[in-house]
Every structure is written in C-alpha cells, then in structure tokens.
Amino acid sequence: MTTAQPSHPATVSRSDEIGTLMASFNRMIATIEQQSDEINQFPKRLEQLTRQAFRDPLTNLPNRALFMDRLTHGLTRAQRRHEHLAVLFLDLDRFKVVNDTLGHTVGDQLLVEVSRRLTSALRPGDTVARLGGDEFGILLEDVADAETAETVAVRVEESLGQPYRFEGREVFVTASIGIALSSAKLGLPEEILRDADLAMYHAKAKGKARHEVFDGSMSAPALDRMDLEMDLRSAISRHEFRLHYQPILRLDTGKITEVEALIRWQHEKRGLLQPDEFIGLTEETGLIVPIGQWVLSEACKQARVWQVEYPTTPPLVMSVNLSAKQFQNPKLVEEITQALDESGLAASCLKLEITESTVMQDAPVTLTKLTELKELGVRLAIDDFGTGYSSLGYLKRFPVDTLKIDRSFVKGLSPDGGDNAIVRAVVTVAKSLNMDVTAEGVETEAQLAELRALGCDRWQGFLFARPVSPERVAPLLASDQPKEKEVARA
Ligand code: C2E
Ligand code: MG
Ligand code: MG
C-alpha cells in the first residue's frame, strides 16, 4: 500500500493569509499521513484481534469458539449434501501426571507437540481444535460411516503413541477418543460434541488409550459416573470387592507356580463388575490407592493360606497388579511391607505387575522406584509387554524378573508366522536381560505349542482356567499336589 508522500511545501513562513492557509494545509497533510498509517495498520490489528478471539495462544490451533463455528457450518453443509460429518473428542490420558512430575514447561511442550502430530495425521480440510486443557476436538467432514472415523482415530492413536523426548527424557502419552457421527436430521453442534464427549468417557472407563463410537444407549456419564464414584467410595467398607485368581503354569512341567490376583466388584445393583468397568475411575479419583492396598493385603493372606495348605517347592508366588497411581504413591514400600508382615508371606513370593506404559512413563524415576521395591525382596514383572514403547536402554537397567507378553500377541500366534516374530523377539530380549517370560491370554493348544517352541517359560489363559474365585482355585492347586503327598506319606 502506498503512503502519502511527506511533502512539506511550506517551510517558508509567511504572516499573511496565504501563510495561514499553508500552515493549516500542512497540518491537514500531517493528519492525513497519520491516519493513513493507522488505516494501513488496521488489517494487521484486525487479524491480531481475530487470532486472539479464535486461536489458542499456546498451540495456535482453533479454539472452542472457532471449532463450534466450523461445526455449525459443517452440519448445515452435511445435511444439504446428504453427507455425514464426524466429531472426535480427544482427551490425553495421565496428562496431569506429566504436568505434576515433569513441570508445566514440559506439559506445554507436550501439548504443542500433540497439536503438531494431530494436524499432520489429518487431511488439510479437517479441523483440529484445542477445546481446553488437554482436550482436543477434531472435525471430519464428508465421512462415509463410523468405520472411516475409526480409521482416523487409529491413525491419531498411532501418531500420538510414538515416544516424546523432552529435556533428554522419553515421555509416553496415550489418549482416549470419543467419536460421534452426525445424523440425517440437522442436529445442534452442542449435541454432537456432547455425544463425542460421552463416548470419550466410555473410552476412559474401559481402561483409556482407546476409542469408542457413540451409540444412543450410552448413558449420561455425569450421572452414571457420579453414581459409580459415590458407590466406589463406600465399596471397601461394604466389602464389595472380590479377588479372583488365575493360575500361571510352567511350560516345561505343567505345574502351577503362580496365581494372578484380579479384582472384581460385586455391585449391589449392577452385579459383578469387571476391572475395565471401574479401574479407570478408581485411578482418576485416586481411590485405587486404598483399593490397591486392600488387594495387596488380601492377596498376600490368600497366598499364605494356599502355601500352607498345598506346599510346593518353590512355594506358590502371588502376582498383584499395581496401577500407575499406586506406583507413584510415596507410601508404597511401607504398604507392601505391612501386607507382607501381616500375612507372613515371604517377600520373594510376591510379584508386582506394573504395565509397560507405567514403567516407561518417566524411566529415571521408575528406575529408582523399582530398585527400592527390589530391595524389599519382592519380584517384579512388566505387564502387557509389547503394547508400549520400551526403551531397551532402560529395560536393561530395570531390576525386573519377568516380562509378560501381552495377550494381543499371543492371539496372533500361528504355525505360519503371524505375531511369532514379535514373541520370539520378546523372548530373546528377556533372555539376554536375564528375565523370564510369561505369556498371557493363551486360549488354544496351538498357541501353547508355539509358545513352547519359542522358548517361553510360563503361561496363563482360558485354555487352562479363567480367573475364578478362591474356592475354585483350591482344587486346581490340590490336583497339582498328589505325587508330593504320596511321597510324603510313603
Ligand atoms: P492384566 O493384568 O493384563 O490381566 C490379565 C487379563 O487378561 C485379565 O483380565 C484376565 O481375565 C484376562 N485373561 C487371562 N487369560 C485370558 C485369555 O485366555 N483370554 C482372554 N481374552 N483374556 C484373558 P481382567 O481380569 O478383566 O483384568 C483386566 C485388567 O485390569 C488387568 O490386566 C489389570 O491391568 C487390571 N486389574 C485387574 N485387577 C487389578 C488390581 O487388583 N489392581 C490393579 N491396579 N489393576 C487390576
Ligand atoms: Mg497383570
Ligand atoms: Mg496383562
């Protein structure tokens, strides 16, 4: 744009009428120059203001207001063209943990990096917005069906699941995603966003790091969750939790050497609830800490009872799952010591299972924590191995006894390949690091044969037994006994 040339013709001062005229003419020129500058600045200012109103300053993504605006237009367009659009509501899992443990600067860097990955995982026409905190919205236009939207969700999950490096540390983050599709009749933008949000809550409740598609039967989470949360708070005192146990067998001898304790909630109205229906909520509310303490204490007592009743050499080992919150609890060592003391169980007969994503979340801190636990004499296992992104460098330094191969890989085992290479790699890594390997989720004889061929040490799965109540585990332990008893009697 051109600006008015600063032409100041009247430097000559005259005291007559012409002089007065020239002076006011000069003043006019100066005013015009100034105003033209302001006018030139105007588009820039306007852009700045618009940016402030519609962009998130940290990530530079559209904010909630702009997202809703695009959603409103998108919905009208979709209805006119007889198409669908999809809204993905994404919430990072454990973002608070990152913020609390690594600080807000790393938290901010993570949000920026997540935004970058989200943008590059989508088509240019799609909208990604930061809706607030660690919540993001994605608007996909012209989506054929829910499956197409799920394909995008998977792509997003894969991209976000790659490790992040901040200040020389590896950080792992997952997200829970809810998906809602527009219907044939014109709905309100708030409604479709609420549906996606609801589906996201279901994804969280089912254990996080997954996506769920909204369907009409999903109950309003606010009520449902609040109800469940209230019930959870009193469930311990009402003795509603149960432990079921699943035997773990050695592949070479076929004997039961361990059992894994798996929690159930006998809800007075909802019946027997499985962990994926409530563990997520216990973690979010922090209730996992007292509940986990109950699990530890109960499982240790049960193990001791079985050891006395069905003695074996070496004695039966009890495996107990620890969630991330429990692992971070500063009183963990104290609580484990208490559970061992009260039950009389030897520390070497307790194995703590910690998931790969938990241990790798902040590897240096984990190393200290694991070493502390190891000094107690307990055994340590990395659960669901293969689903996270282990840093081999750290794995080597962790004092871990066992890698538990996630059941998704066991499912893929077949004589003609499948996931055999992954299982073989896990066994090789474990052996070279002096760890043993347990395979979980074994359902067929064929899988068992493959595991044997691959050099796996132990297995658990429906093929032998589902997790069952203690009364139903006892006969299984007893049937492993006869020879020893006969020897003893002889
Ligand atoms: P996990 O520790 O990986 O437990 C193994 C899960 O695989 C169990 O699910 C078990 O029932 C299931 N499973 C075992 N064999 C098979 C099989 O052959 N086929 C199939 N399809 N599944 C099999 P469950 O009991 O529903 O527990 C789910 C998860 O909940 C556990 O995964 C664990 O992460 C968590 N969890 C369970 N109990 C506790 C607890 O006391 N504390 C904590 N923090 N987490 C727990
Ligand atoms: Mg486990
Ligand atoms: Mg597992």
Side-chain angles (χ1 to χ4, degrees), residues 207-219:
K208 303 183 181 159
R210 58 190 293 155
H211 59 264
E212 287 292 318
V213 179
F214 173 78
D215 79 71
S217 71
M218 286 181 172
S219 49

Side-chain angles (χ1 to χ4, degrees), residues 146-211:
E147 263 172 44
T148 317
E150 281 189 275
T151 316
V152 177
V154 170
R155 207 161 62 226
V156 164
E157 283 161 349
E158 280 168 1
S159 165
L160 295 188
Q162 301 301 316
Y164 300 77
R165 281 201 82 80
F166 299 117
E167 298 171 359
R169 286 176 170 197
E170 264 190 348
V171 179
F172 293 85
V173 173
T174 55
S176 300
I177 304 175
I179 303 172
L181 238 65
S182 62
S183 58
K185 74 177 189 359
L186 185 63
L188 291 173
E190 292 79 14
E191 283 171 356
I192 185 167
L193 189 65
R194 187 203 54 209
D195 291 348
D197 190 6
L198 228 137
M200 187 279 290
Y201 269 113
H202 279 255
K204 287 255 183 217
K206 285 191 166 175
K208 303 183 181 159
R210 58 190 293 155
H211 59 264

Side-chain angles (χ1 to χ4, degrees), residues 383-384 406 440:
D383 205 353
D384 304 345
D406 190 66
E440 51 182 27

